[in-house]
Amino acid sequence: MAMKPSNNIWIRRQQCPCGDWKCYIQYEGDDLGSVSSHNFARKNGFSIRKARSTESQNLGIYRRDFVCYRSGFNQPRKKANVEHPRERKSVRCGCDAKLYLTKEIVDGVMQWYVSQFSNVHNHELLEDDQVRLLPAYRKIQEVDQERILLLSKAGFPVNRIVKVLELEKGVQPGQLPFIEKDVRNFVRTCKKTVQESDALLNEKRENDLLELLEACKAMTGRDPDFVYDYTLDENEKVENIAWSFGDSICAYTIFGDVVAFDTTYRSVTYGLLLGVWFGIDNHGKAIFLGCVLLQDESSHSFAWALQAFMRFMRGRHPQTILTDIDSGLRDAIARELPNTKHVLCIWHILSKISSWFSLPLGSQYENFKPEFDMLSQLESVEDFEHQWNILVARFGLVSDKHIALLYSYRASWTFSYIRSYFLARTLTAEFSLSLESFLKRILNGQTCLQVFFEQVSIAANLENRTREGMQYMHVKTGMPLEEHARNILTPYAFNVLQHEIVLSLQYATTEMANGSYLVRHYKKLDGECLVIWMPDDEQIHCSCKEFEHSGILCRHSLRVLVVKNYFQLPEKYFLLRWRVESSLVSVDDQNAQISSDDCAQAFHSLTASLLTESLISKDRFNYVHSELTSLLEHVRNMPVINEYAANAAANNISES
């Protein structure tokens, strides 16, 4: 029996971090509306079945016929060669209720329309407590299937399994959405299939993990700095395996201050949990640092993964690690990385809010969501605690297990608690999208571990990274400290700092008696911030803690530095991780960037002078406009020269 490979071996982890096996998560994009929807037939006391579908080469399926479940008559069957054959009474009675759908092309657009409809039945329609027992509506959901199989493997008889499910779901006897007969049939059907499937999956997992291990050994020949580690189970089979590349280890020396450990995917084929370590580079992009495959999600497995990663990175612990909510992972981090700040990614939490609260709150959820978002961004711990209690009481969530879970973890995800943790802008939407983009590149369409390993090695290769464009960064204020920062920071970091510089012009300063400053917006759009300035060693601290949080000075500190007549920012406020010189590119690429900047600056100066001269008279303007239009057309038609010639031209312009 050959096993057909899945189109994609990776799916998102589904079990809820609250620890309740009955609570599963639906991610954004799932059809939450289907939970409460009821089809027409069920509301009217019957069920339907497909009668016929008609297909053509041009239109595909162009007709679908649905009929009442009691439509037609059973054909007489050949009697089995047994002494006492069972006579089963048929429910079919020739009911003529039907719905026929037909597809046609109208004005070039394919449309479905109802060609026939009749809701006239020749039998009694059922009440709601009866219609739910029709075979069409007796469905065993996936979560119940897993529970039934688990109890069956533990030796529970079918009648006891049904009683356990009734107790766990808190329903009266006979009120499950299926009956004992359905459970019995399900167990009988699955028992042999599950045994065969388990054997095949175990064999495939063992073989593929061995191939992955061989691929790791082969990689050491191509990448001398490649590292890997693995564990064996009691049967000497590969259990867990982790690896990292030489480029990733080199990148960690610069960008290993903040690490995101993503564990949101697992393999449906192998039952393995995937963990990927990421950093953020000086262009705000996610960079691959390491990868691990674990047999389970226990604290012990996570601890081994963290130990392996630290060995790969030569024992240097990150300042901060970001993860999803997971109690086992939390315990492992506390044990293995005691001096590292642990932060829960806010986007992981927000992705669960809908599935946790939309159904319990119903129509109130639309009011709850924005209030929760605002609550997570409050700056003061006191304000958060006060507003949290109000929110919980207002929406009646005092006894909700997910609210209790979030509150117990509040010191790891709310901005008011983590504002002083260094996160290097990993909580921004841009970084989240960059991380998700990387994961999609390595996960989509992978059907075996060896192909997955090769895809990871390609995506992690720094030579394949998209280079930052050789862009000219315009100054907006003309302030000397802005000009100074432009020459040191990457375009990404400079744009963030430049935004703060521009906003700093809207703030007023009031000097206090002890030499500190109160800084506030001129329209009082936000609260006051206290900025402490220590001139002896040029230290500046703001109560907003933006520099401690992102490594880039805030508008309040910049305003005080301008007041103190600073024309250049102190070197200590240009972190190495945000500088151009820290880019994970070759020296030639950096020289190209510098040459491009020189070229752009020269043209910027010329065009500024040209604009000033051309505005003196209309004749001058018309002449300049005509000549520039002609020049632009001529340049566009020129053949593209190589990069070396472009750099040489830039140098000649600078010298002239």
Side-chain angles (χ1 to χ4, degrees):
M1 177 180 175
M3 188 167 66
K4 184 179 179 181
S6 168
N7 289 332
N8 196 331
I9 67 174
W10 305 103
I11 61 169
R12 284 190 180 273
R13 293 169 68 191
Q14 293 294 301
Q15 192 160 9
C16 179
C18 72
D20 186 349
W21 71 268
K22 295 178 292 184
C23 182
Y24 279 69
I25 296 187
Q26 281 182 297
Y27 287 84
E28 290 183 1
D30 291 341
D31 184 11
L32 295 173
S34 63
V35 176
S36 58
S37 65
H38 299 279
N39 58 48
F40 175 82
R42 181 163 184 168
K43 284 184 177 179
N44 284 270
F46 67 100
S47 66
I48 61 174
R49 59 183 170 85
K50 293 179 182 178
R52 181 178 61 175
S53 294
T54 310
E55 188 174 359
S56 73
Q57 188 172 4
N58 296 330
L59 293 176
I61 296 176
Y62 67 89
R63 176 170 171 171
R64 293 187 184 275
D65 296 353
F66 299 93
V67 297
C68 175
Y69 77 113
R70 302 192 68 175
S71 171
F73 298 95
N74 267 10
Q75 298 297 320
R77 298 180 179 178
K78 290 184 179 180
K79 292 188 177 180
N81 189 20
V82 293
E83 188 176 351
H84 300 290
R86 287 190 298 171
E87 293 290 341
R88 294 183 178 180
K89 185 178 180 181
S90 172
V91 298
R92 299 193 181 186
C93 60
C95 179
D96 195 39
K98 57 182 174 287
L99 171 67
Y100 295 169
L101 301 176
T102 305
K103 181 165 62 175
E104 286 190 354
I105 299 178
V106 180
D107 297 329
V109 179
M110 289 188 181
Q111 297 180 355
W112 286 94
Y113 71 95
V114 178
S115 56
Q116 290 189 52
F117 174 71
S118 172
N119 194 32
V120 178
H121 301 261
N122 65 352
H123 56 89
E124 184 180 358
L125 298 177
L126 304 177
E127 298 294 332
D128 186 61
D129 63 335
Q130 296 173 311
V131 74
R132 71 179 183 84
L133 297 177
L134 291 176
Y137 304 125
R138 297 201 318 260
K139 301 294 183 184
I140 304 179
Q141 300 297 326
E142 185 177 348
V143 61
D144 293 326
Q145 291 178 9
E146 293 178 3
R147 188 61 168 164
I148 289 169
L149 289 176
L150 181 65
L151 293 172
S152 178
K153 286 181 179 180
F156 280 63
V158 170
N159 62 340
R160 183 69 64 83
I161 291 175
V162 172
K163 288 182 180 179
V164 169
L165 291 174
E166 288 172 345
L167 288 172
E168 290 179 336
K169 292 179 176 293
V171 300
Q172 294 297 318
Q175 293 302 308
L176 290 171
F178 45 84
I179 61 177
E180 186 175 312
K181 175 184 174 183
D182 300 323
V183 177
R184 195 177 306 279
N185 289 339
F186 173 73
V187 171
R188 185 184 299 116
T189 303
C190 290
K191 199 166 188 179
K192 186 177 180 181
T193 305
V194 167
Q195 290 172 349
E196 293 176 350
S197 178
D198 283 350
L200 287 169
L201 282 177
N202 286 335
E203 183 180 358
K204 178 175 175 57
R205 177 168 54 196
E206 291 171 11
N207 292 336
D208 281 11
L209 280 171
L210 282 175
E211 289 181 358
L212 176 61
L213 186 58
E214 290 301 318
C216 287
K217 292 177 181 177
M219 179 59 74
T220 57
R222 289 182 280 164
D223 180 359
D225 295 319
F226 176 83
V227 288
Y228 69 98
D229 197 1
Y230 62 96
T231 62
L232 301 177
D233 61 19
E234 63 275 8
N235 298 316
E236 297 298 309
K237 306 292 186 183
V238 177
E239 185 180 34
N240 307 310
I241 186 167
W243 67 90
S244 183
F245 301 93
D247 283 346
S248 299
I249 297 170
C250 179
Y252 186 85
T253 61
I254 304 173
F255 305 115
D257 43 16
V258 180
V259 172
F261 187 33
D262 191 285
T263 56
T264 55
Y265 286 91
R266 68 177 302 113
S267 167
V268 293
T269 304
Y270 306 98
L272 296 169
L273 176 70
L274 171 66
V276 186
W277 287 279
F278 291 98
I280 180 172
D281 69 7
N282 52 354
H283 297 285
K285 301 292 180 61
I287 50 173
F288 175 88
L289 297 177
C291 193
V292 66
L293 292 171
L294 301 172
Q295 289 283 2
D296 58 49
E297 304 171 21
S298 66
S299 177
H300 176 75
S301 294
F302 283 128
W304 177 84
L306 293 170
Q307 291 167 8
F309 183 68
M310 287 299 99
R311 286 194 296 272
F312 296 164
M313 302 306 161
R314 296 154 189 170
R316 181 189 168 194
H317 291 198
Q319 293 182 41
T320 313
I321 186 169
L322 293 87
T323 72
D324 196 359
I325 302 180
D326 189 293
S327 58
L329 181 54
R330 185 189 193 194
D331 293 342
I333 290 173
R335 187 165 60 252
E336 301 299 330
L337 304 174
N339 298 319
T340 296
K341 303 293 186 183
H342 183 197
V343 172
L344 301 177
C345 299
I346 186 64
W347 60 78
H348 286 319
I349 292 176
L350 294 179
S351 72
K352 299 172 177 65
I353 294 301
S354 176
S355 62
W356 281 348
F357 300 113
S358 61
L359 292 180
L361 293 177
S363 59
Q364 285 188 300
Y365 177 74
E366 294 302 321
N367 297 324
F368 171 83
K369 182 63 166 61
E371 290 195 28
F372 183 88
D373 292 344
M374 181 185 68
L375 193 67
S376 66
Q377 296 301 321
L378 289 176
E379 296 184 0
S380 165
V381 171
E382 292 75 16
D383 287 346
F384 170 81
E385 295 287 345
H386 177 66
Q387 293 298 326
W388 179 270
N389 292 331
I390 293 175
L391 182 78
V392 171
R394 178 184 171 191
F395 291 97
L397 297 172
V398 175
S399 59
D400 186 271
K401 61 186 177 183
H402 297 118
I403 281 290
L405 177 74
L406 289 173
Y407 187 72
S408 67
Y409 285 169
R410 66 192 183 282
S412 300
W413 64 271
T414 61
F415 180 69
S416 56
Y417 279 94
I418 66 171
R419 61 188 299 191
S420 60
Y421 295 0
F422 183 66
L423 288 165
R425 296 183 61 78
T426 50
L427 292 184
T428 62
E430 295 89 344
F431 178 73
S432 174
L433 291 173
S434 176
L435 188 150
E436 196 67 29
S437 174
F438 187 99
L439 287 171
K440 286 180 179 178
R441 288 203 305 275
I442 66 173
L443 298 180
N444 283 352
Q446 300 308 319
T447 57
C448 72
L449 293 180
Q450 192 170 5
V451 173
F452 167 71
F453 177 78
E454 293 298 330
Q455 191 64 31
V456 171
S457 62
I458 292 171
N461 192 338
L462 293 179
E463 294 181 1
N464 296 324
R465 288 174 60 85
T466 302
R467 299 286 189 246
E468 291 293 310
M470 294 187 294
Q471 62 194 76
Y472 176 73
M473 297 179 289
H474 294 278
V475 295
K476 294 182 178 179
T477 65
M479 298 168 67
L481 58 82
E482 184 185 8
E483 291 272 8
H484 180 230
R486 182 178 63 170
N487 297 325
I488 296 176
L489 300 175
T490 62
Y492 172 81
F494 175 71
N495 284 335
V496 177
L497 180 67
Q498 185 182 56
H499 179 69
E500 295 297 314
I501 291 173
V502 170
L503 291 179
S504 72
L505 301 177
Q506 301 177 12
Y507 284 76
T509 60
T510 303
E511 187 170 5
M512 309 296 287
N514 58 0
S516 59
Y517 290 82
L518 277 180
V519 183
R520 62 173 178 81
H521 193 271
Y522 80 104
K523 286 187 177 180
K524 299 183 179 179
L525 295 179
D526 49 24
E528 292 180 332
C529 283
L530 178 65
V531 178
I532 299 174
W533 166 246
M534 292 177 279
D536 293 342
D537 50 0
E538 294 185 316
Q539 285 194 43
I540 192 163
H541 300 279
C542 180
S543 59
C544 79
K545 299 186 182 297
E546 179 60 32
F547 183 77
E548 291 83 350
H549 193 67
S550 69
I552 295 177
L553 280 176
C554 64
R555 63 201 68 171
H556 318 106
S557 298
L558 290 166
R559 184 61 183 150
V560 170
L561 288 175
V562 170
V563 168
K564 304 304 292 185
N565 295 323
Y566 266 75
F567 299 108
Q568 292 186 355
L569 298 180
E571 282 292 308
K572 68 178 70 177
Y573 295 111
F574 292 118
L575 296 188
L576 179 64
R577 68 149 17 265
W578 294 130
R579 294 179 179 230
V580 173
E581 64 202 66
S582 301
S583 295
L584 300 173
V585 293
S586 66
V587 175
D588 291 339
D589 289 331
Q590 292 186 30
N591 289 338
Q593 173 75 35
I594 295 169
S595 299
S596 173
D597 289 346
D598 292 340
C599 182
Q601 192 167 1
F603 277 119
H604 182 68
S605 177
L606 284 172
T607 53
S609 300
L610 190 61
L611 176 63
T612 302
E613 294 295 331
S614 65
L615 292 178
I616 293 177
S617 69
K618 186 176 181 180
D619 290 340
R620 285 192 178 191
F621 176 81
N622 291 337
Y623 173 76
V624 170
H625 184 271
S626 174
E627 291 297 316
L628 284 179
T629 303
S630 175
L631 178 62
L632 180 60
E633 187 65 27
H634 177 70
V635 170
R636 282 175 174 167
N637 293 328
M638 290 176 66
V640 178
I641 61 176
N642 60 43
E643 186 178 305
Y644 175 81
N647 291 338
N651 291 334
N652 291 336
I653 291 173
S654 299
E655 291 172 1
S656 63

